[in-house]
Amino acid sequence: MGGRGSNTIWGGRYKLGPAEIMERINASIGFDRRLYAQDIAGSLAHCDMLVAQGILSTKDGRAIKRGLAKVREEIEAGRFKFSTKLEDIHLNVESRLTELIGAAGGRLHTARSRNDQVALDVRLWVRDTIDRLEPMLADLQAALIDRAEEHAATIMPGFTHLQTAQPITFGHHLLAYVEMFGRDRGRLADCRARLNESPLGAAALAGSPHPIDPRKTARALGFARPMANSLDAVSDRDYVVEFIAAASLTAVHLSRLSEEIVIWCSAPFRFIALSDAFTTGSSIMPQKRNPDAAELARGKVGRIVGAFVALCTMLKGLPLTYGKDMQEDKEPLFDAADSLELGVAAMAGMVRDLEANAERMRAVAAADYSVATDLADWLVRKVGLPFREAHHVTGRLVGLAADKGVDLDKLSLAEMRAVEPRIDRSVYRVLTVEASVNARRSLGGTAPANVARAVQEARRRYLGRSR
């Protein structure tokens, strides 16, 4: 879009028709037709401004607005005939507008270039996409918060290095993702605030000699202000990169939760089950139920991060202002946004669908001496040992229990005192997974009472409601 190409619209200088390969590489209508709503919205605002400034007659303005409404109707009804010979969405719309209303259609492009036109369209499209994603991410948070409340006291193993570390609650685990997606929403909001400036009025790159009012078009389109520099206005694609960067991190969070769902659904874990709505069977093994929705959400992160790399690579060597290279921003942008929206919707569905196996979670949480740290902490509090010495004593007791093939709470008091004489019978009160999670009442800790409070705070902070 923008700049010089080989279309016959440029008139007499180009006497030869474009070669087929040039037509194919030059055309963007195959993908930028998605910008039609934004393109028409920008044209309507531009038309109103031209009329208000006396650059366009009221009669022409009415005809243009009537024609644009007809073009939009045809596109949305699937009757519009897009042409690769007209390259892009701008020329396709303008050509059809001129067919409908005559010469007035050609006057719409006064004081405007395809350079500031496409910059406007893409800004509007990214802003609209963020506005769609915001409630979707809030809905995903709501699903996680509701399940966290349901499982505030459901005990599961907490892992480091994917090895059982300490008992936690399932609700606490789910709330960790609420925080991640909250940061994602914040990054998208920051991106929206920064992109919310209108490039319209920059024309090709240097501004316009016509008495235009960029502030009027900015206000009409919901922007905070017009952009301050015409060169920056047509060349800036920071907001596309920033959006895809935010999308990439959101996708990484989706992928991490997807990975956990895949693991939790596996036979060795059996922590959760997904219904047929989010799983598929095997073509050869009838017993299988595969968590394909989670795997696909996990897999899409590659496409989104790939789009980020593609955009940075495309922009890194471009001098000011416009280069046809910038046409390559749209396909990765559209694909990344589509992939992210699908992943967010799928994850919200899986969170609401999953059924937790609380008995299995607790059994695994209680295995592998997961309360060993609680024993060490008890030795610090009750016996007064330095933590490093308490750690050593606990290690010896874990070794003894392992040799006997029993849990720590199955060691006799005499066996414990043989390692540390000051241990008394009250030690057994800290050697259960229930005692372990209930003891962790520090801010941000996993105690069920903490989780219940954190659920209410998360609803207030992220969803703006108490229930």
Side-chain angles (χ1 to χ4, degrees):
M1 296 181 184
R4 179 175 294 162
S6 56
N7 194 283
T8 53
I9 195 168
W10 292 302
R13 181 176 174 186
Y14 296 93
K15 298 182 193 285
L16 297 177
E20 181 184 359
I21 191 65
M22 184 57 193
E23 182 178 313
R24 289 176 61 191
I25 197 171
N26 198 45
S28 59
I29 191 60
F31 48 85
D32 72 12
R33 65 180 64 186
R34 291 182 63 163
L35 297 173
Y36 81 87
Q38 291 78 22
D39 194 71
I40 291 172
S43 290
L44 289 168
H46 186 64
C47 176
D48 283 343
M49 183 275 295
L50 293 176
V51 171
Q53 296 299 108
I55 301 168
L56 194 66
S57 71
T58 302
K59 179 182 177 183
D60 282 348
R62 284 198 297 266
I64 287 168
K65 293 175 75 171
R66 184 175 66 252
L68 287 172
K70 178 66 173 175
V71 171
R72 181 168 51 201
E73 177 191 332
E74 289 178 354
I75 293 174
E76 291 176 350
R79 297 194 308 270
F80 192 93
K81 293 181 180 179
F82 293 99
S83 169
T84 57
K85 294 184 184 302
L86 292 170
E87 294 184 17
D88 55 37
I89 187 63
H90 320 307
L91 292 182
N92 270 265
V93 169
E94 182 180 323
S95 176
R96 178 59 178 149
L97 176 65
T98 303
E99 287 178 2
L100 289 168
I101 68 171
R107 297 189 182 103
L108 174 61
H109 209 54
T110 306
R112 185 175 69 171
S113 163
R114 284 190 293 167
N115 291 356
D116 62 344
Q117 191 176 359
V118 69
L120 173 70
D121 291 1
V122 178
R123 278 180 188 270
L124 289 171
W125 194 90
V126 173
R127 193 177 71 180
D128 291 345
T129 300
I130 291 172
D131 290 346
R132 281 196 311 275
L133 276 166
E134 159 62 25
M136 293 179 68
L137 283 166
D139 181 64
L140 173 53
Q141 287 182 295
L144 289 161
I145 290 167
D146 289 346
R147 300 314 301 270
E149 182 174 46
E150 180 184 348
H151 292 285
T154 300
I155 294 172
M156 71 174 292
F159 297 100
T160 61
H161 310 278
L162 205 56
Q163 304 296 311
T164 300
Q166 293 177 286
I168 60 170
T169 65
F170 190 38
H172 191 57
H173 193 111
L174 295 176
L175 287 178
Y177 284 99
V178 172
E179 297 302 312
M180 293 184 209
F181 293 123
R183 293 192 293 273
D184 294 328
R185 288 174 66 190
R187 275 181 282 271
L188 288 170
D190 290 345
C191 175
R192 191 191 193 284
R194 268 185 289 278
L195 71 79
N196 203 34
E197 297 180 336
S198 172
L200 201 57
L205 76 162
S208 173
H210 298 280
I212 60 173
D213 185 357
R215 289 182 176 83
K216 179 176 177 61
T217 49
R219 285 193 302 271
L221 293 166
F223 288 107
R225 63 192 69 82
M227 295 186 74
N229 183 283
S230 63
L231 302 178
D232 182 49
V234 299
S235 67
D236 173 44
R237 294 298 184 274
D238 290 358
Y239 60 96
V240 180
V241 176
E242 186 176 359
F243 168 74
I244 298 180
S248 295
L249 194 45
T250 305
V252 167
H253 294 151
L254 288 173
S255 184
R256 294 184 73 178
L257 182 50
S258 295
E259 173 70 6
E260 296 203 297
I261 288 173
V262 171
I263 291 171
W264 294 340
C265 283
S266 67
F269 275 77
R270 291 186 288 112
F271 284 2
I272 66 168
L274 292 171
S275 75
D276 291 347
F278 290 94
T279 58
T280 64
S282 165
S283 63
I284 191 172
M285 295 167 284
Q287 83 282 7
K288 294 286 294 300
R289 178 178 277 179
N290 301 320
D292 283 7
E295 291 171 358
L296 289 166
R298 181 180 61 185
K300 287 187 181 296
V301 69
R303 298 172 69 145
I304 299 171
V305 174
F308 174 74
V309 174
L311 263 292
C312 288
T313 304
M314 182 269 287
L315 288 169
K316 71 173 184 63
L318 292 186
L320 296 179
T321 56
Y322 186 89
K324 197 74 174 199
D325 318 49
M326 296 168 82
Q327 184 168 290
E328 295 299 311
D329 63 352
K330 292 160 200 63
E331 287 182 287
L333 168 63
F334 296 156
D335 186 70
D338 290 347
S339 296
L340 184 60
E341 288 187 44
L342 189 57
V344 171
M347 184 56 69
M350 283 186 284
V351 169
R352 291 189 169 99
D353 180 76
L354 68 84
E355 181 179 345
N357 185 343
E359 184 179 347
R360 173 64 179 169
M361 285 185 179
R362 189 203 178 282
V364 176
D368 296 321
Y369 308 105
S370 65
V371 296
T373 303
D374 297 272
L375 174 55
D377 288 337
W378 184 89
L379 290 168
V380 170
R381 293 195 314 273
K382 298 288 287 187
V383 179
L385 295 182
F387 184 80
R388 287 301 170 203
E389 186 177 343
H391 186 282
H392 177 72
V393 169
T394 300
R396 290 180 61 190
L397 290 170
V398 168
L400 177 61
D403 289 342
K404 292 173 63 68
V406 298
D407 292 332
L408 281 169
D409 64 345
K410 297 300 187 290
L411 290 175
S412 69
L413 185 59
E415 287 170 322
M416 291 191 186
R417 283 176 169 169
V419 176
E420 170 48 62
R422 289 169 287 181
I423 293 176
D424 63 37
R425 189 165 295 281
S426 66
V427 72
Y428 290 103
R429 290 201 290 267
V430 303
L431 298 183
T432 66
V433 290
E434 286 78 13
S436 177
V437 297
N438 278 296
R440 280 162 172 76
R441 299 190 183 94
S442 60
L443 181 65
T446 192
N450 275 21
V451 175
R453 286 192 296 271
V455 161
Q456 297 307 318
E457 173 62 15
R459 281 204 181 99
R460 183 196 65 76
R461 187 155 50 109
Y462 292 122
L463 307 179
R465 61 177 189 264
S466 59
R467 182 73 178 100

